[in-house]
Amino acid sequence: QVLLEESGGGSVQSGGSLRLSCRASGYNYTGYCMLWFRQYPEKERERVAAVDGDGSTILADSVRGRFAVSRDNAENTLFLQMNTLKPEDTAMYYCATGTRATIATRRCPRLAADIGYWGQGTQVTVSS
């Protein structure tokens, strides 16, 4: 059973930092895409960051220079280091992997509608 468990969310002041973790189990994710999405109330989930099958990282324009994504393959864990946080980063953050067709995808989907597996989410709140 595929299971993605996020942790590390919380409340911080503007300019602060948080580190999100996503522990994956039920499958060997080495060599496959893992991603972070976020969702504002009443909005669709948007891709924030990803690590594709060859280890290349992808960051949304809105977080580039402030966030960093990495993974520990030995621990099947994905990280999102968030620095210089802004109130507009306030959202629910979700870990994700795979597509609707297969969990074993090396290239990372861009759209939430194409994602196959989701974590339960962790809330990040940034106050001004």
Side-chain angles (χ1 to χ4, degrees), residues 40-55:
Y40 301 111
E42 302 182 9
K43 299 289 186 181
E44 292 187 0
R45 294 180 188 182
E46 61 179 35
R47 192 176 73 177
V48 176
V51 183
D52 69 15
D54 66 7

Side-chain angles (χ1 to χ4, degrees), residues 8 25 68 80 106 112:
S25 59
L80 185 66
R106 295 178 62 82

Side-chain angles (χ1 to χ4, degrees), residues 7-9 18-22 36 78-80 82 93 122 124:
S7 61
L18 284 172
R19 189 190 196 207
L20 305 184
S21 299
C22 171
W36 289 102
L78 180 71
F79 302 101
L80 185 66
M82 305 186 294
Y93 285 72
T122 185
V124 171

